[in-house]
Amino acid sequence: DTINYVFTVSNTGNIDLTGISVTDALVTVTPATTIDLVVGASDNSTYTASYVITAADITAGTFANTAVVSAINPLDPLGPP
């Protein structure tokens, strides 16, 4: 079986965001590009991924996964997100 992910990214802050990306340690998130979101905007059509369930997942009886969203720091565009 396969778990198909569609990631929803929302800007709930008070400043427009640029260089937004989604990463995940267990899957390859596609596309490997960035997006920008104005305040209040959401996107659920850009980032996707798939995970094939393994025998170890079935034996464990559970599977957990976490994705990370990052953006360029608008107050320090040359520094870390």
Side-chain angles (χ1 to χ4, degrees):
D1 288 333
T2 301
I3 300 171
N4 294 308
Y5 296 97
V6 175
F7 299 96
T8 299
V9 180
S10 300
N11 181 356
T12 60
N14 59 5
I15 190 165
D16 295 346
L17 296 175
T18 61
I20 299 167
S21 63
V22 177
T23 57
D24 188 309
L26 296 179
V27 298
T28 300
V29 177
T30 57
T33 187
T34 62
I35 61 170
D36 303 331
L37 289 176
V38 298
V39 172
S42 292
D43 175 278
N44 65 355
S45 63
T46 300
Y47 297 108
T48 62
S50 295
Y51 177 80
V52 177
I53 298 170
T54 67
D57 297 331
I58 294 169
T59 300
T62 186
F63 174 76
N65 189 22
T66 302
V68 176
V69 177
S70 60
I72 294 173
N73 181 343
L75 302 178
D76 184 11
L78 300 177

